[in-house]
Amino acid sequence: MWVKLAFKLFSRELRRGELTIIFAAIALAVLTVFSLSAITERISLNLAQKSSDFIASDRRLSSNHAFEPQLLTQANKFGLATAEMLYFDSMLFANDELVLSSVKAITGSYPLRGKITIKDHLTSPAYDVDTGPKAGSIWLSEGLFYTLNVNVGDKIELGAGLFNVTKVLVKEPDAPFFSLSGNKRVLLNYADIPTTQAVQPGSRVFHRLLFAGNEQQLSEYYAWLKPQLKSNQTWQGIKDRQSPLGNNIVRAERFLLLAGLFGIMLAAVAMAVSAKRYCERQYDPVAMMKTLGGSRKVIRNIFLLHLSLVTVFSIVAGLMVGFVLQTIGADYLASFMGTELPQAGFRPWLLSAFIGLVCALMFSLKPLLDLFDIPPLRVLRRNLGDTLAISRIHIALSMMTIFVLMWIFSGEIMTTLILFASTLLIIAILFAISRLLFAAGRRLGLRPGSSWSLALATLQKRANANAIQLISFALAIKLMLFLVILKNDIITDWQMQVPADAPNMFIINIAEEQVTPIKQFFRDNNIAHEDFYPVFSGRVDAVNGEKFARRVSKQEGEEKDKNAKKGVSREPNLTWLASLPEGNVITEGQWFTYGVTGGNDIEVSVFDGWQDVLGLELGDTITLLVNEQVINAKVTSFRKVDWGTLKPNFVMILSPNMAGKVPVTYFSAAKLHDSDTKAISQLLQRYPTISMIDIKSQIEQAQAIIAQVSLAIGFVLSIVLVSGALVLVSQVQASLAERMEEMVILRTLGAKGRLIKLATLYEFMLLGGIAGLVAAIVSDIALLVIQQQLFDVAGRLHPYIWLLGPLSGALFVSSIGYFMVAHTMRQNTQGLLRKLG
């Protein structure tokens, strides 16, 4: 019986638009979460795919010795595609020229991800291919053609083998970052390794296995592989690399994560407010039903069925609209990036439907319980039940739900806490401001004939409702300002770390007497370059006289001193400098004093990441072992180093009085263009001991990541703008009936139409301006914390948004709000009364 009645009431409320608010709110929550999560997932997948291209696979296994055949056999059983590689250095001989080169031997399936870029001749255009050279032929990098004076089609000796040069090697997806032979690269077929006779027992070679497949296959294979990994074997993905590229990928994912969290927050607030509004509008119908004999159980079943139906319909509608929206956005982004974005998986569908369902349940639960408690006497005393309008339980439940949803979406408690705490701060400030407006409205609202007075009086009359509206407006504006700053400032700062004119080549192994002629060579050829840094390697042997554990040979039966402290196994590159390098920030202590003024005490500034590793404090004495020489240095400062800048950086910098105490080589960085290849080849011929390290691919990859994230943030900003407008529309629509009543009363009392219009416009301007000002200040503070905690940069405030926030808020809210009520104000009093009746 009650089901039939419920469907009749549901049909009637649909026609009257009573369910429009809650339907729009749930649909908005679903479409916002779906479109944002889908587009960010597609961008993330594209970044991951491009990053996998950078290592020519999804994962790789590195070793200094040959792999057991079972590793490949088992990988194939897990459904993984595989390829083998072998790196070694060998001599090339042609035209009476002999040069050391870096050889990479590959199987036919290489590369598993990405493309190899080649040219048919030195002057022909470059193009991409999916596989390497065939047996009996080799591909040479361009510099080798000039060094050896050969052309495509010539014969060349590699080790003991004679090979035909068939292509010019332009770029490999996993070009080696460090190589003793720099840009002298050779690509060889794996089957030709025995022909070269360059790989013998004891040869210095590097083996790699490449793997490609989905994450489940890779995880299952790694679970099988992990117990069998030897100590000198390393399993790597692109995020595992301690490199600028890996850091940039992590940073990009944090940007996209923030964008998705903004959508979650906005959608949840819209749903919470709309559910409460809808239930408040049902107070009178419920009181009437109870008067006519309806039981609490019947009323509960009716409205729960209504909520279930509208939830299902709105989730479906939200998914459909969200799918269309993210498809349009993804196609737009793909056209700008010149790529094809991978399709998102099931996660956006499941996540958005889950969030829509949770929002409908959690944000409607308390208002519905209040609705069922409405007394029948409300039909005679309209104020009965109004005390249920504000519920601390409902507020607490809503806040807890928003926090949990954000946490589920992000998976990062720190990010969630920062954004959630800033939201609570906005709410607290705006509730305080609403109380002030209440008091101001009492004093100013009695002045007749003033639109401002009438606006303040209206704000005072709806103080509680306006407080909720202020929060909704402020959160929408906050998210917009967040994204504006992310796109215009933070991403710009990130991009400045990898500028277009950044050096793309490191020059190493430069002798001191070669520094001056190489500088002159750069000047003569108009090649921009960085300073020349003295470099030497040293091992941290002890701190304050306490030695670290020694690396000794277990093969000879020796073991490490079990009582010794564990130090750092690798020998880092060290330097001495008189001034703090760009991009380094002193976090503790001070820069060199005695070393600069010529004192005898050697000082050292240490990367703060090694502070805990070595257990260091200011004033400690570090003992460095450089070859057989012992160097003692006093720790005077710790530095924060941004390794993502692709600039020369050091874990330890010593004071200038270190000069002359140890033998050093120099290194620098230069910005090279394709036209400089011939000149650089001549330089390498003149100074065969120096080497070039090409980082052009790393820079291009970092710049591509930044460009994609910037476009994604711009797209998310447009979605948040539309979503914020929809939240505002639903808020104003919920108060239309009350505004109609006020308009009828004002017109009856003789108020002119212009007075009412201006008062309405001023009311929205005040709401938007106040919300924008609070949102701007709190957003700037929250962004400062985010910059420091999530992106590991010093961060700064952005005072310009303190003006942009209130101005944009006033314009945004007044434009949409006035547009929503303009039609109502144009109607005559009789028409308004008819609608109210």
PDB file of all heavy atoms in Angstrom, residues 812-831:
ATOM      1  N   PHE A 812      31.841  36.381  -9.328  1.00  0.00           N
ATOM      2  CA  PHE A 812      31.334  35.045  -9.628  1.00  0.00           C
ATOM      3  C   PHE A 812      29.980  34.801  -8.966  1.00  0.00           C
ATOM      4  O   PHE A 812      28.999  34.399  -9.621  1.00  0.00           O
ATOM      5  CB  PHE A 812      32.361  34.021  -9.138  1.00  0.00           C
ATOM      6  CG  PHE A 812      31.990  32.583  -9.387  1.00  0.00           C
ATOM      7  CD1 PHE A 812      31.896  32.090 -10.664  1.00  0.00           C
ATOM      8  CD2 PHE A 812      31.736  31.722  -8.325  1.00  0.00           C
ATOM      9  CE1 PHE A 812      31.560  30.771 -10.897  1.00  0.00           C
ATOM     10  CE2 PHE A 812      31.406  30.403  -8.536  1.00  0.00           C
ATOM     11  CZ  PHE A 812      31.320  29.929  -9.833  1.00  0.00           C
ATOM     12  N   VAL A 813      29.892  35.083  -7.672  1.00  0.00           N
ATOM     13  CA  VAL A 813      28.659  34.813  -6.928  1.00  0.00           C
ATOM     14  C   VAL A 813      27.550  35.764  -7.343  1.00  0.00           C
ATOM     15  O   VAL A 813      26.395  35.350  -7.551  1.00  0.00           O
ATOM     16  CB  VAL A 813      28.913  34.902  -5.413  1.00  0.00           C
ATOM     17  CG1 VAL A 813      27.608  34.750  -4.638  1.00  0.00           C
ATOM     18  CG2 VAL A 813      29.896  33.823  -4.977  1.00  0.00           C
ATOM     19  N   SER A 814      27.855  37.061  -7.497  1.00  0.00           N
ATOM     20  CA  SER A 814      26.808  38.027  -7.850  1.00  0.00           C
ATOM     21  C   SER A 814      26.280  37.773  -9.258  1.00  0.00           C
ATOM     22  O   SER A 814      25.074  37.901  -9.507  1.00  0.00           O
ATOM     23  CB  SER A 814      27.342  39.454  -7.740  1.00  0.00           C
ATOM     24  OG  SER A 814      28.438  39.659  -8.607  1.00  0.00           O
ATOM     25  N   SER A 815      27.141  37.410 -10.191  1.00  0.00           N
ATOM     26  CA  SER A 815      26.693  37.167 -11.572  1.00  0.00           C
ATOM     27  C   SER A 815      25.730  35.993 -11.634  1.00  0.00           C
ATOM     28  O   SER A 815      24.629  36.100 -12.180  1.00  0.00           O
ATOM     29  CB  SER A 815      27.904  36.906 -12.476  1.00  0.00           C
ATOM     30  OG  SER A 815      28.759  38.012 -12.493  1.00  0.00           O
ATOM     31  N   ILE A 816      26.162  34.853 -11.071  1.00  0.00           N
ATOM     32  CA  ILE A 816      25.321  33.659 -11.140  1.00  0.00           C
ATOM     33  C   ILE A 816      24.101  33.812 -10.239  1.00  0.00           C
ATOM     34  O   ILE A 816      22.979  33.452 -10.623  1.00  0.00           O
ATOM     35  CB  ILE A 816      26.134  32.413 -10.765  1.00  0.00           C
ATOM     36  CG1 ILE A 816      27.273  32.213 -11.769  1.00  0.00           C
ATOM     37  CG2 ILE A 816      25.247  31.182 -10.715  1.00  0.00           C
ATOM     38  CD1 ILE A 816      28.150  31.027 -11.493  1.00  0.00           C
ATOM     39  N   GLY A 817      24.304  34.335  -9.021  1.00  0.00           N
ATOM     40  CA  GLY A 817      23.177  34.488  -8.101  1.00  0.00           C
ATOM     41  C   GLY A 817      22.112  35.426  -8.633  1.00  0.00           C
ATOM     42  O   GLY A 817      20.905  35.121  -8.595  1.00  0.00           O
ATOM     43  N   TYR A 818      22.525  36.573  -9.164  1.00  0.00           N
ATOM     44  CA  TYR A 818      21.553  37.536  -9.701  1.00  0.00           C
ATOM     45  C   TYR A 818      20.845  36.963 -10.915  1.00  0.00           C
ATOM     46  O   TYR A 818      19.637  37.164 -11.103  1.00  0.00           O
ATOM     47  CB  TYR A 818      22.251  38.839 -10.067  1.00  0.00           C
ATOM     48  CG  TYR A 818      21.305  39.948 -10.456  1.00  0.00           C
ATOM     49  CD1 TYR A 818      20.650  40.696  -9.481  1.00  0.00           C
ATOM     50  CD2 TYR A 818      21.061  40.235 -11.789  1.00  0.00           C
ATOM     51  CE1 TYR A 818      19.770  41.708  -9.835  1.00  0.00           C
ATOM     52  CE2 TYR A 818      20.196  41.234 -12.158  1.00  0.00           C
ATOM     53  CZ  TYR A 818      19.542  41.974 -11.175  1.00  0.00           C
ATOM     54  OH  TYR A 818      18.674  42.970 -11.530  1.00  0.00           O
ATOM     55  N   PHE A 819      21.575  36.230 -11.744  1.00  0.00           N
ATOM     56  CA  PHE A 819      20.959  35.608 -12.911  1.00  0.00           C
ATOM     57  C   PHE A 819      19.883  34.610 -12.492  1.00  0.00           C
ATOM     58  O   PHE A 819      18.826  34.506 -13.148  1.00  0.00           O
ATOM     59  CB  PHE A 819      22.032  34.896 -13.736  1.00  0.00           C
ATOM     60  CG  PHE A 819      21.487  34.097 -14.891  1.00  0.00           C
ATOM     61  CD1 PHE A 819      21.095  34.717 -16.062  1.00  0.00           C
ATOM     62  CD2 PHE A 819      21.369  32.707 -14.790  1.00  0.00           C
ATOM     63  CE1 PHE A 819      20.584  33.965 -17.116  1.00  0.00           C
ATOM     64  CE2 PHE A 819      20.868  31.963 -15.841  1.00  0.00           C
ATOM     65  CZ  PHE A 819      20.479  32.585 -17.015  1.00  0.00           C
ATOM     66  N   MET A 820      20.114  33.892 -11.398  1.00  0.00           N
ATOM     67  CA  MET A 820      19.153  32.897 -10.932  1.00  0.00           C
ATOM     68  C   MET A 820      17.851  33.526 -10.432  1.00  0.00           C
ATOM     69  O   MET A 820      16.762  32.952 -10.598  1.00  0.00           O
ATOM     70  CB  MET A 820      19.774  32.052  -9.815  1.00  0.00           C
ATOM     71  CG  MET A 820      20.800  31.051 -10.298  1.00  0.00           C
ATOM     72  SD  MET A 820      20.062  29.735 -11.285  1.00  0.00           S
ATOM     73  CE  MET A 820      18.942  29.014 -10.100  1.00  0.00           C
ATOM     74  N   VAL A 821      17.931  34.703  -9.805  1.00  0.00           N
ATOM     75  CA  VAL A 821      16.737  35.311  -9.227  1.00  0.00           C
ATOM     76  C   VAL A 821      16.161  36.402 -10.112  1.00  0.00           C
ATOM     77  O   VAL A 821      15.117  36.989  -9.792  1.00  0.00           O
ATOM     78  CB  VAL A 821      17.043  35.896  -7.829  1.00  0.00           C
ATOM     79  CG1 VAL A 821      17.522  34.814  -6.893  1.00  0.00           C
ATOM     80  CG2 VAL A 821      18.063  37.014  -7.917  1.00  0.00           C
ATOM     81  N   ALA A 822      16.828  36.693 -11.247  1.00  0.00           N
ATOM     82  CA  ALA A 822      16.352  37.781 -12.114  1.00  0.00           C
ATOM     83  C   ALA A 822      14.955  37.487 -12.642  1.00  0.00           C
ATOM     84  O   ALA A 822      14.087  38.378 -12.697  1.00  0.00           O
ATOM     85  CB  ALA A 822      17.326  37.995 -13.267  1.00  0.00           C
ATOM     86  N   HIS A 823      14.710  36.233 -13.028  1.00  0.00           N
ATOM     87  CA  HIS A 823      13.389  35.881 -13.551  1.00  0.00           C
ATOM     88  C   HIS A 823      12.308  36.064 -12.494  1.00  0.00           C
ATOM     89  O   HIS A 823      11.199  36.541 -12.788  1.00  0.00           O
ATOM     90  CB  HIS A 823      13.399  34.429 -14.036  1.00  0.00           C
ATOM     91  CG  HIS A 823      12.063  33.935 -14.513  1.00  0.00           C
ATOM     92  ND1 HIS A 823      11.477  34.379 -15.687  1.00  0.00           N
ATOM     93  CD2 HIS A 823      11.166  33.056 -13.964  1.00  0.00           C
ATOM     94  CE1 HIS A 823      10.308  33.789 -15.857  1.00  0.00           C
ATOM     95  NE2 HIS A 823      10.099  32.981 -14.821  1.00  0.00           N
ATOM     96  N   THR A 824      12.618  35.728 -11.259  1.00  0.00           N
ATOM     97  CA  THR A 824      11.649  35.888 -10.169  1.00  0.00           C
ATOM     98  C   THR A 824      11.328  37.354  -9.937  1.00  0.00           C
ATOM     99  O   THR A 824      10.161  37.733  -9.729  1.00  0.00           O
ATOM    100  CB  THR A 824      12.210  35.267  -8.879  1.00  0.00           C
ATOM    101  OG1 THR A 824      12.467  33.880  -9.099  1.00  0.00           O
ATOM    102  CG2 THR A 824      11.247  35.429  -7.726  1.00  0.00           C
ATOM    103  N   MET A 825      12.328  38.233 -10.009  1.00  0.00           N
ATOM    104  CA  MET A 825      12.114  39.656  -9.761  1.00  0.00           C
ATOM    105  C   MET A 825      11.319  40.321 -10.878  1.00  0.00           C
ATOM    106  O   MET A 825      10.692  41.350 -10.660  1.00  0.00           O
ATOM    107  CB  MET A 825      13.466  40.361  -9.566  1.00  0.00           C
ATOM    108  CG  MET A 825      14.146  40.011  -8.255  1.00  0.00           C
ATOM    109  SD  MET A 825      15.597  41.010  -7.906  1.00  0.00           S
ATOM    110  CE  MET A 825      16.715  40.425  -9.152  1.00  0.00           C
ATOM    111  N   ARG A 826      11.363  39.723 -12.073  1.00  0.00           N
ATOM    112  CA  ARG A 826      10.615  40.313 -13.185  1.00  0.00           C
ATOM    113  C   ARG A 826       9.126  39.997 -13.108  1.00  0.00           C
ATOM    114  O   ARG A 826       8.316  40.622 -13.802  1.00  0.00           O
ATOM    115  CB  ARG A 826      11.185  39.820 -14.521  1.00  0.00           C
ATOM    116  CG  ARG A 826      12.519  40.462 -14.886  1.00  0.00           C
ATOM    117  CD  ARG A 826      12.849  40.226 -16.344  1.00  0.00           C
ATOM    118  NE  ARG A 826      13.054  38.810 -16.633  1.00  0.00           N
ATOM    119  CZ  ARG A 826      14.239  38.211 -16.586  1.00  0.00           C
ATOM    120  NH1 ARG A 826      15.315  38.907 -16.250  1.00  0.00           N
ATOM    121  NH2 ARG A 826      14.344  36.942 -16.860  1.00  0.00           N
ATOM    122  N   GLN A 827       8.717  39.024 -12.303  1.00  0.00           N
ATOM    123  CA  GLN A 827       7.312  38.645 -12.204  1.00  0.00           C
ATOM    124  C   GLN A 827       6.565  39.626 -11.299  1.00  0.00           C
ATOM    125  O   GLN A 827       7.131  40.198 -10.360  1.00  0.00           O
ATOM    126  CB  GLN A 827       7.186  37.230 -11.640  1.00  0.00           C
ATOM    127  CG  GLN A 827       7.798  36.168 -12.555  1.00  0.00           C
ATOM    128  CD  GLN A 827       7.541  34.763 -12.046  1.00  0.00           C
ATOM    129  OE1 GLN A 827       6.479  34.509 -11.496  1.00  0.00           O
ATOM    130  NE2 GLN A 827       8.492  33.878 -12.252  1.00  0.00           N
ATOM    131  N   ASN A 828       5.288  39.786 -11.588  1.00  0.00           N
ATOM    132  CA  ASN A 828       4.476  40.680 -10.749  1.00  0.00           C
ATOM    133  C   ASN A 828       4.089  39.987  -9.454  1.00  0.00           C
ATOM    134  O   ASN A 828       4.272  38.767  -9.296  1.00  0.00           O
ATOM    135  CB  ASN A 828       3.247  41.171 -11.511  1.00  0.00           C
ATOM    136  CG  ASN A 828       2.385  40.007 -12.012  1.00  0.00           C
ATOM    137  OD1 ASN A 828       2.288  38.964 -11.371  1.00  0.00           O
ATOM    138  ND2 ASN A 828       1.761  40.180 -13.178  1.00  0.00           N
ATOM    139  N   THR A 829       3.518  40.761  -8.535  1.00  0.00           N
ATOM    140  CA  THR A 829       3.195  40.234  -7.202  1.00  0.00           C
ATOM    141  C   THR A 829       2.160  39.131  -7.286  1.00  0.00           C
ATOM    142  O   THR A 829       2.238  38.124  -6.554  1.00  0.00           O
ATOM    143  CB  THR A 829       2.680  41.375  -6.315  1.00  0.00           C
ATOM    144  OG1 THR A 829       3.649  42.423  -6.294  1.00  0.00           O
ATOM    145  CG2 THR A 829       2.430  40.881  -4.901  1.00  0.00           C
ATOM    146  N   GLN A 830       1.177  39.283  -8.196  1.00  0.00           N
ATOM    147  CA  GLN A 830       0.132  38.264  -8.320  1.00  0.00           C
ATOM    148  C   GLN A 830       0.720  36.922  -8.770  1.00  0.00           C
ATOM    149  O   GLN A 830       0.344  35.863  -8.275  1.00  0.00           O
ATOM    150  CB  GLN A 830      -0.929  38.734  -9.316  1.00  0.00           C
ATOM    151  CG  GLN A 830      -2.123  37.776  -9.432  1.00  0.00           C
ATOM    152  CD  GLN A 830      -3.180  38.300 -10.392  1.00  0.00           C
ATOM    153  OE1 GLN A 830      -3.007  39.370 -10.983  1.00  0.00           O
ATOM    154  NE2 GLN A 830      -4.257  37.562 -10.540  1.00  0.00           N
ATOM    155  N   GLY A 831       1.665  36.981  -9.719  1.00  0.00           N
ATOM    156  CA  GLY A 831       2.290  35.754 -10.197  1.00  0.00           C
ATOM    157  C   GLY A 831       3.099  35.082  -9.099  1.00  0.00           C
ATOM    158  O   GLY A 831       3.123  33.850  -8.987  1.00  0.00           O
TER     159      GLY A 831
END
